[in-house]
Amino acid sequence: NCCCFFFAFSCLIILSAFTTKIASKNQNAVKQHLPSTNQSVLITKEDINNFKQHPNVVAALLKNLNEKLDYNPSPMKVMALAPHYNSTGTNDEKSAKFFQDDSRMAYKFALGYAVSNNPAYAQKARQIIDAWSKTLQAVTTIQSKDEINFNVPYLVIGASLVKDEGNWDSQPFSKF
């Protein structure tokens, strides 16, 4: 029940993320949300407060995050993913999921920070976001571009939730 609520809540947030296109021509729209405005992208304080009304779900999230504080991102310098679908089914390359997994972990850590104010979660979210924004230099295939389009919203939401904790230099992410 708790996992279903968290999954449904996350799906709603992610679906709403697709209403804003994150592409190079929209970088200014992303940048305007990252400065200290005390606003988050797509998730409001009311959303966070509603989430907190489900202590079992919050506890499950925080327990999961505590078990993953040693999580290490796997950024790539060049993302050149093969097509997801091929003649034998789907691409099962391990690297095909690096960006997706890291983006979603950054989002989960940021959400954990938003509901708990634990700076360790904000730090971990920023570490993952920074790893990709400081490492990735080229996206060379259509599948790679799709991965960016599908998963950048997780990073944008995560960044918006942790941007005001500590002295994070969000400039590399804004350029990303």
Side-chain angles (χ1 to χ4, degrees):
N1 191 15
C2 294
C3 291
C4 290
F5 176 80
F6 177 70
F7 178 74
F9 182 74
S10 294
C11 287
L12 287 173
I13 291 167
I14 297 310
L15 287 173
S16 67
F18 289 110
T19 61
T20 304
K21 294 181 182 176
I22 307 299
S24 60
K25 63 183 175 184
N26 291 328
Q27 285 180 359
N28 290 334
V30 174
K31 287 179 188 179
Q32 78 184 36
H33 291 289
L34 287 178
S36 280
T37 60
N38 294 324
Q39 294 178 338
S40 62
V41 177
L42 303 174
I43 298 179
T44 66
K45 288 183 182 193
E46 181 181 357
D47 295 329
I48 297 299
N49 288 333
N50 288 337
F51 189 57
K52 288 179 182 180
Q53 299 303 311
H54 302 276
N56 292 339
V57 177
V58 172
L61 171 66
L62 299 181
K63 180 179 185 251
N64 180 270
L65 295 178
N66 286 331
E67 294 169 357
K68 295 184 178 179
L69 279 171
D70 61 349
Y71 181 87
N72 289 309
S74 301
M76 300 177 212
K77 189 172 185 175
V78 175
M79 189 183 295
L81 303 176
H84 180 69
Y85 296 104
N86 56 41
S87 61
T88 61
T90 59
N91 176 2
D92 293 327
E93 281 180 58
K94 189 175 182 181
S95 64
K97 291 192 61 169
F98 287 167
F99 188 67
Q100 174 184 332
D101 292 346
D102 289 348
S103 298
R104 292 178 185 192
M105 282 306 299
Y107 165 74
K108 288 177 187 176
F109 276 110
L111 185 59
Y113 169 72
V115 298
S116 71
N117 291 318
N118 182 338
Y121 299 147
Q123 181 180 1
K124 184 54 78 169
R126 292 190 312 241
Q127 175 196 1
I128 296 167
I129 293 166
D130 284 345
W132 279 94
S133 60
K134 292 178 180 179
T135 304
L136 186 63
Q137 295 179 4
V139 178
T140 61
T141 65
I142 292 172
Q143 184 63 43
S144 298
K145 291 175 184 177
D146 288 345
E147 287 301 317
I148 296 293
N149 287 332
F150 290 137
N151 293 297
V152 161
Y154 289 103
L155 295 180
V156 172
I157 294 168
S160 73
L161 292 172
V162 300
K163 67 183 173 1
D164 294 326
E165 166 58 33
N167 295 317
W168 183 40
D169 177 12
S170 64
Q171 192 64 22
F173 181 65
S174 292
K175 289 179 180 178
F176 176 76

